[in-house]
Amino acid sequence: MLEMEDMLRKLGGYENSTALGLDENLIYESLQKAHLVRERCTLLYYYNTKVAKKS
């Protein structure tokens, strides 16, 4: 993670969630739930491209 922080600092960006004003718990919770978003998007894609076209 430090390598990423160094790269962001060199590019002039914020290097961590605290600098962005984001709570560490929010970041952790978001990472834990990210798979749910991916699953929903996959299901919507499948429905829209496979199921809805047959109707």
Side-chain angles (χ1 to χ4, degrees):
M1 187 67 164
L2 291 176
E3 185 177 326
M4 178 68 79
E5 289 179 5
D6 288 338
M7 287 190 302
L8 289 170
R9 191 178 309 110
K10 288 177 185 176
L11 294 171
Y14 295 108
E15 62 265 11
N16 57 43
S17 59
T18 304
L20 290 169
L22 299 174
D23 183 51
E24 288 291 327
N25 290 328
L26 177 64
I27 301 296
Y28 179 77
E29 186 178 343
S30 296
L31 290 173
Q32 297 303 310
K33 293 182 178 181
H35 70 282
L36 298 173
V37 174
R38 184 184 64 241
E39 288 173 2
R40 288 181 186 149
C41 289
T42 302
L43 180 60
L44 285 172
Y45 175 80
Y46 175 79
Y47 179 81
N48 288 330
T49 59
K50 306 292 184 191
V51 178
K53 285 185 177 182
K54 291 182 181 180
S55 301

